[in-house]
Amino acid sequence: MATVAVYSDADRGALHVLHADEAYRLGPAPAAASYLRGDLILEVASRCGADAIHPGYGFLSENADFAEACQAVGVTFIGPPATAMRVLGSKTRARQAADSAEMPRVPGSVRGLADVAEAQRVAAAIGYPVMLKAAAGGGGKGMRAIAKPEELAGAFIAASSEAERSFGSGEVYLEKLIERPRHIEIQLMADEHGHCVYLGERECSVQRRHQKVIEEAPSAVVGEALRRRMGEAAVRLALSAGYVNAGTVEFLVDADENFYFLEMNTRLQVEHPVTELVTGLDLVHLQLRVAMGEPLPIRQEDVRLRGHAIECRIYAEDPDNNFFPSPGLITRLVQPGGPGIREDCAVFAGWTVPLDYDPMLSKLVAFAPTREMAIDRMLRALEEYVIGGIKTNIALFRRILTDTDFRAARIDTGYLERLLSFRASEVGETVPEEIVAVAAALFAASLKGEAGVVGSASEESRWAVTGFREGLRL
Ligand code: MV4
């Protein structure tokens, strides 16, 4: 199949443009003037005679209006029908759909709350702590945890006005708060002929501020029976919503292995490679076949999971500076490879990472027979990886993958924030004890200004001694 890329001014020299058979400019760097302009994208489609548009996993990928606009001009949108996107795009409507599909969901309301009084009644009925969520929200935006009744009225007003401002709809609803949940999701693929299969789960609990950092398949806590129950429930929901193409059903799983429907993502997701590795399927290829109207080439009993896959999302960001984005010129790039390593990389040496978009550089994926071996393979690959010129989060993965709790799969959605707040472990892990001892002795001596050690420096230059002390602080 011939491919056509679209690009913004910031992406003129990007890798996807280089790989495509043809490429067309959309507009200036800001997404609102380029990648979010559905009208311009459809203009390009008509100019080059494209049969179909793959929306990727950001920008317009979950935009029902864009899917409809494609349909209207006879271009296939590689994704679900706009109607299914609309039902599942509203959290409250999705919760109603979950009920008709007999899918377990978090207890709470299934439609928007009219006022504070109704919120009080619902919260009292389900019991505190509770969570207020925006019906049009996602990724944690417009979400509020509420521990006791006194906090509810203020939170209700704040959450609904935040939702109104962010999403153009102030509709909010209530859920019971699930404590220390895991985030586990089921990958689905449905065709236009009423067939739908589930392709196992992904464990996505290692997150920071609602951004996934590591994903793996399978989850260490999902056995065959739980997988079947979650998978069959996800398929029921998809079929009842008239869903077609790739989709993902998100669940919260509590410590007792109860699972609760959270929401459905109506697109292919960033982390789909881990599912491809454990199922041996090419999900984008399946998306194309389904979009061409073909029946799924596999039945549920053909889906076999093998081995373990783990993905690290490599970002241009500085873990030592609050994960601040670190765009700029990549001066050097040494990419890992070898047995069991897959890298889906978007950059090259000489490329300048623009500050206009999410600074994800690459997805590094390790595959091995067991979780233990996949983690070790990933550690080996991370050690080979060199990205020069910009700050990246590569070192953070070393910390996670060598952490005792992670290796024992003792993770939940709060795991990474807890690890990051415990900074002392970092120094002990990377600096040998002898060096710490020598540094401490020198530092103590410098404070006292003892004979010969650093006393002379302090008299000569305050800058020198300050620099020296900073250095000793590691
Ligand atoms: C929850 C929850 C606990 N209880 N709902 C955050 C993003 C949004 N999609 C749903 N989220 C949550 N909903 C109830 N009733 C905890 C979270 C949550 C979370 C969920 C998935 C992945 C990471 C998370 C991090 C913090 C909170």
Side-chain angles (χ1 to χ4, degrees):
M1 268 183 206
T3 55
V4 181
V6 288
Y7 61 88
S8 72
D9 287 342
D11 279 346
R12 176 68 192 87
L15 218 46
H16 76 281
V17 175
L18 191 78
H19 283 307
D21 297 293
E22 293 173 46
Y24 295 88
R25 174 182 182 269
L26 289 174
S34 51
Y35 295 118
L36 290 172
R37 288 283 304 272
D39 56 333
L40 297 180
I41 294 170
L42 283 173
E43 241 173 68
V44 172
S46 114
R47 187 137 57 102
C48 69
D51 302 304
I53 295 178
H54 194 297
Y57 31 71
F59 300 126
L60 296 173
S61 60
E62 297 199 90
N63 188 309
D65 292 339
F66 179 64
E68 214 161 53
C70 292
Q71 188 104 34
V73 297
V75 174
T76 302
F77 176 82
I78 303 169
T83 47
M85 287 168 93
R86 287 214 173 85
V87 171
L88 298 163
S90 155
K91 304 274 199 55
T92 40
R93 289 176 71 189
R95 283 164 65 77
Q96 293 162 30
D99 285 351
S100 26
E102 290 184 54
M103 149 89 84
R105 57 157 174 86
V106 186
S109 47
V110 293
R111 49 196 92 246
L113 300 161
D115 49 31
V116 176
E118 190 188 0
Q120 298 281 17
R121 279 197 302 277
V122 174
I126 58 180
Y128 286 85
V130 296
M131 207 164 219
L132 262 178
K133 294 186 177 185
K141 220 169 179 193
M143 211 172 77
R144 293 264 184 321
I146 298 139
K148 41 188 192 292
E150 305 87 272
E151 298 169 7
L152 186 60
F156 180 89
I157 291 157
S160 51
S161 70
E162 185 181 321
E164 182 68 56
R165 265 178 288 119
S166 308
F167 314 114
S169 155
E171 184 185 348
V172 294
Y173 67 100
L174 269 172
E175 282 184 7
K176 177 139 189 91
L177 182 103
I178 309 296
E179 314 223 28
R180 289 201 169 198
R182 288 176 178 253
H183 173 165
I184 298 177
E185 57 190 31
I186 296 280
Q187 175 70 55
L188 296 180
M189 188 67 75
D191 67 19
E192 290 173 1
H193 309 280
H195 307 298
C196 180
V197 293
Y198 61 91
L199 305 174
E201 77 285 359
R202 292 185 288 258
E203 165 74 69
C204 305
S205 296
V206 180
Q207 311 211 356
R208 188 184 159 271
R209 304 203 178 157
H210 306 295
Q211 286 274 5
K212 292 170 186 160
V213 173
I214 290 179
E215 305 97 346
E216 41 186 323
S219 165
V221 296
V222 177
E224 238 170 88
L226 181 58
R227 179 172 303 120
R228 181 169 314 116
R229 284 200 293 138
M230 292 173 78
E232 286 176 355
V235 166
R236 282 198 304 273
L237 175 71
L239 291 177
S240 75
Y243 200 87
V244 177
N245 220 296
T248 298
V249 180
E250 293 187 359
F251 294 94
L252 293 179
V253 178
D254 70 16
D256 301 321
E257 293 184 12
N258 297 304
F259 65 91
Y260 305 96
F261 169 69
L262 203 52
E263 54 195 79
M264 181 158 179
N265 296 313
T266 59
R267 61 169 194 283
L268 186 75
Q269 288 182 283
V270 169
E271 60 272 26
H272 74 275
V274 295
T275 299
E276 293 189 326
L277 289 170
V278 298
T279 60
L281 297 167
D282 177 338
L283 294 187
V284 178
H285 190 186
L286 288 173
Q287 284 196 291
L288 297 176
R289 294 177 70 156
V290 161
M292 291 192 298
E294 288 184 21
L296 280 177
I298 43 165
R299 293 158 302 170
Q300 190 59 54
E301 57 267 35
D302 302 323
V303 178
R304 288 257 163 5
L305 303 185
R306 196 177 126 253
H308 194 95
I310 178 162
E311 171 179 277
C312 291
R313 294 194 186 191
I314 313 292
Y315 270 86
E317 61 183 22
D318 184 0
D320 294 326
N321 185 19
N322 204 26
F323 295 88
F324 211 72
S326 173
L329 175 69
I330 297 176
T331 54
R332 192 159 176 248
L333 187 65
V334 182
Q335 292 170 261
I341 295 299
R342 161 173 169 179
E343 196 200 6
D344 289 13
C345 183
V347 301
F348 53 92
W351 171 243
T352 298
V353 180
L355 80 190
D356 306 272
Y357 318 113
D358 182 74
M360 185 160 61
L361 303 172
S362 147
K363 302 183 287 188
L364 185 60
V365 196
F367 177 63
T370 67
R371 183 172 189 267
E372 189 80 19
M373 291 166 79
I375 293 172
D376 285 339
R377 254 187 190 158
M378 179 65 85
L379 281 165
R380 186 269 296 166
L382 287 164
E383 217 144 297
E384 291 177 10
Y385 211 156
V386 180
I387 303 180
I390 55 173
K391 298 269 178 40
T392 76
N393 62 348
I394 289 176
L396 170 69
F397 294 112
R398 255 203 85 71
R399 253 182 92 196
I400 299 170
L401 299 178
T402 55
D403 176 59
T404 319
D405 284 336
F406 181 83
R407 292 202 72 114
R410 281 189 295 267
I411 50 177
D412 60 73
T413 56
Y415 162 80
L416 187 53
E417 312 270 1
R418 289 196 299 275
L419 183 77
L420 291 171
S421 67
F422 187 57
R423 298 214 53 102
S425 66
E426 188 180 38
V427 174
E429 202 173 87
T430 53
V431 181
E433 265 180 25
E434 295 91 325
I435 294 182
V436 173
V438 170
L442 286 168
F443 186 54
S446 78
L447 289 176
K448 287 187 214 140
E450 263 176 20
V453 183
V454 284
S456 56
S458 69
E459 272 127 49
E460 278 158 25
S461 159
R462 289 180 53 213
W463 292 113
V465 82
T466 303
F468 187 80
R469 286 182 184 175
E470 286 292 319
L472 287 178
R473 226 174 275 148
L474 301 172

